[in-house]
Amino acid sequence: MRNRPTKENLKLELLNILENKISTATELMSFTEQIKDGNRESKASIYFVDTKIPNKPNSEWKFQENLVLESKIYGTLILDILTENRIGGIKFLNNAK
């Protein structure tokens, strides 16, 4: 059974995974600082940005891309990357069953 993600555990794990994928320490810290108390939609999803009215002019949620990461602790993670390199949410694929 996988560990239930806490804010601090998730930050540490993302730091470990992302340090080889992101080019600068500033970018890395910016990503992990975005991890805050999110809205847990299910066991498999946490959102940090309001998902109402996605991809519209006044929406907070303006999708850019997904970043797939493999975690020894949490399994496969999918980060929803929004415009301005914000993290919109995280999906825990191993919990999606």
Side-chain angles (χ1 to χ4, degrees):
M1 182 172 171
R2 302 265 179 210
N3 294 333
R4 182 174 170 98
T6 64
K7 180 173 58 171
E8 290 309 312
N9 288 346
L10 190 54
K11 281 184 180 185
L12 289 173
E13 182 64 7
L14 287 175
L15 277 170
N16 288 334
I17 297 169
L18 291 171
E19 68 185 351
N20 294 324
K21 294 186 177 281
I22 295 181
S23 60
T24 69
T26 302
E27 282 182 292
L28 182 60
M29 292 311 295
S30 174
F31 253 44
T32 58
E33 286 172 2
Q34 295 177 52
I35 304 298
K36 55 185 182 237
D37 294 329
N39 179 24
R40 183 172 283 279
E41 183 173 282
S42 69
K43 290 191 316 186
S45 300
I46 298 174
Y47 292 102
F48 307 108
V49 173
D50 189 354
T51 59
K52 293 178 186 170
I53 317 168
N55 300 314
K56 301 291 183 196
N58 293 324
S59 174
E60 284 187 72
W61 187 278
K62 293 183 182 160
F63 181 78
Q64 181 174 299
E65 65 179 320
N66 287 121
L67 180 60
V68 179
L69 304 172
E70 292 298 327
S71 165
K72 292 179 183 176
I73 297 173
Y74 301 113
T76 303
L77 304 174
I78 300 178
L79 275 63
D80 296 319
I81 308 300
L82 308 180
T83 56
E84 299 175 6
N85 287 325
R86 296 176 299 139
I87 297 176
I90 300 175
K91 292 179 185 67
F92 300 85
L93 282 191
N94 293 26
N95 293 346
K97 299 173 185 171

